[in-house]
Amino acid sequence: MSAIVVFVDQLDVPGKLSGTATQLLTLARGAGEPVAVVAGPVGADVLAELGTYGVARVLNSEQPELGQFLVAPKADLVAQAAAAVSASAVLVDNSAAGKEIAARVGVTLNAGVITDAVSVTVDGGTLTAHKSVLAGSWTVEARATSAVTVIAVKSHAVEAAPAAAPTAPAVEAIEVAFAPASLGARVVSRTPRAASGRPELEDARIVVAGGRGVDGDFTPIEELADVLGAAVGASRAATDAGWISHASQVGQTGKKVSPQLYISVGISGAIQQKAGMQTSKLIVAVNKDSESPIFEIADFGIVGDLFQVLPQAVEEIKRRRA
Ligand SMILES: Cc1cc2nc3c(=O)[nH]c(=O)nc-3n(C[C@H](O)[C@H](O)[C@H](O)COP(=O)(O)OP(=O)(O)OC[C@H]3O[C@@H](n4cnc5c(N)ncnc54)[C@H](O)[C@@H]3O)c2cc1C
């Protein structure tokens, strides 16, 4: 079985694997022998979790350069680790940093790079990435023709699942030789964003998104999001109006999300909005206009006033959980 490298970044949030990392490890296990390449510390908790996902081999570096500079040193780590284990594929998350790492690793390893994969299938060890392109109007299957494949995979492309039998991973320290150009952009300060208590939009299993229909009041959206443990998203009309931060915008010029459940509220479903959410596994739409285009892609639709529908939904969810 060939080695499938998964990049695991433990620098920002040490002590626990991210949801995306567990999904990528699950994917790697189905394609070959998963090898975790970890930037940052690998404590007992992380090691146990890696074992849960069937990782037998961990390559790890805690060199300070990995955290002191922008993403280039991490790409050096991934490329050198992938070469060391003769990996046939490298999987990274589809964040801006992940995509830059993918590109840099592709150049170093002379490997084909595929980004924005909404799912990945495996056939006889060959990885095929599935993409949704041209504002979601086409789906594309892409395969690298090079010896090594590098794929940046969106959150929830695969459901994380523990291995049938856990492994006891062996950790090997790797001494990365950083390219001088990789140390060109130093991070001089970091200010963590104030935590909202809600999951990150791109990692969330459930997203509740509001549009112009909320008329400036996101309270019903936030209340539904909180009973569901969901992230809050928005259409551009809502972010442009200043009702919610631009970081919450979903769509062609916003975040691209593929949650298990996307609840679209007071959003008409313009093509630029669909481009960011139509690969969601289940779409529920609440809109008072039965002719709204959002209903063309919704799995379930409720025609009604969001200010009446959402509070009832919140009450019912709370009642059933009581
Ligand atoms: C280059 C470009 C890039 C763009 N990028 C993005 C992007 O990334 N993301 C994005 O979202 N848009 C984007 N847009 C804008 C996009 O074209 C639409 O204008 C925008 O998505 C509309 O937002 P909306 O659906 O919230 O508003 P509207 O189209 O005004 O729809 C509001 C909806 O709310 C419903 N409604 C009103 N009141 C209620 C109520 N009380 N209860 C229930 N339903 C109600 C209405 O029936 C209507 O369907 C982009 C546009 C361009 C040109």
Side-chain angles (χ1 to χ4, degrees), residues 212 235-236 249-250 252-253 266 268 272-273 287 305-306:
R212 202 192 310 270
S235 72
R236 183 160 156 181
Q249 185 183 315
V250 173
Q252 185 180 324
T253 44
S268 59
Q272 296 89 353
Q273 157 70 198
N287 197 300
D305 184 337
L306 71 93

Side-chain angles (χ1 to χ4, degrees), residues 6 9 52 71 89 111-112 132 144 160 188 199 232 252 280 291 319:
V6 172
D9 193 339
T52 304
V71 292
S132 173
V188 290
V232 171
Q252 185 180 324
S280 305
E291 301 292 317
R319 192 185 66 75

Side-chain angles (χ1 to χ4, degrees), residues 113-188:
V113 176
I114 305 166
T115 59
D116 300 318
V118 292
S119 71
V120 178
T121 48
V122 186
D123 185 8
T126 303
L127 297 179
T128 302
H130 301 256
K131 296 169 57 121
S132 173
V133 301
L134 298 175
S137 53
W138 287 79
T139 53
V140 166
E141 290 183 4
R143 237 171 265 133
T145 53
S146 48
V148 182
T149 305
V150 181
I151 308 180
V153 187
K154 287 190 175 194
S155 273
H156 305 294
V158 65
E159 197 58 16
T167 49
V171 183
E172 304 159 44
I174 177 166
E175 187 71 26
V176 184
F178 299 109
S182 299
L183 307 180
R186 184 185 283 275
V187 177
V188 290

Side-chain angles (χ1 to χ4, degrees), residues 210-215 234-240 243 249-256 262 264-276 286-295 302-309:
R212 202 192 310 270
V214 307
D215 200 17
S235 72
R236 183 160 156 181
T239 58
D240 279 355
W243 299 338
Q249 185 183 315
V250 173
Q252 185 180 324
T253 44
K255 304 240 167 82
K256 316 272 187 300
Y262 187 93
S264 164
V265 183
I267 296 178
S268 59
I271 188 154
Q272 296 89 353
Q273 157 70 198
K274 286 179 185 167
V286 181
N287 197 300
K288 68 179 184 185
D289 175 9
S290 64
E291 301 292 317
S292 176
I294 192 67
F295 290 125
I302 300 166
V303 179
D305 184 337
L306 71 93
F307 293 100
Q308 292 178 3
V309 175

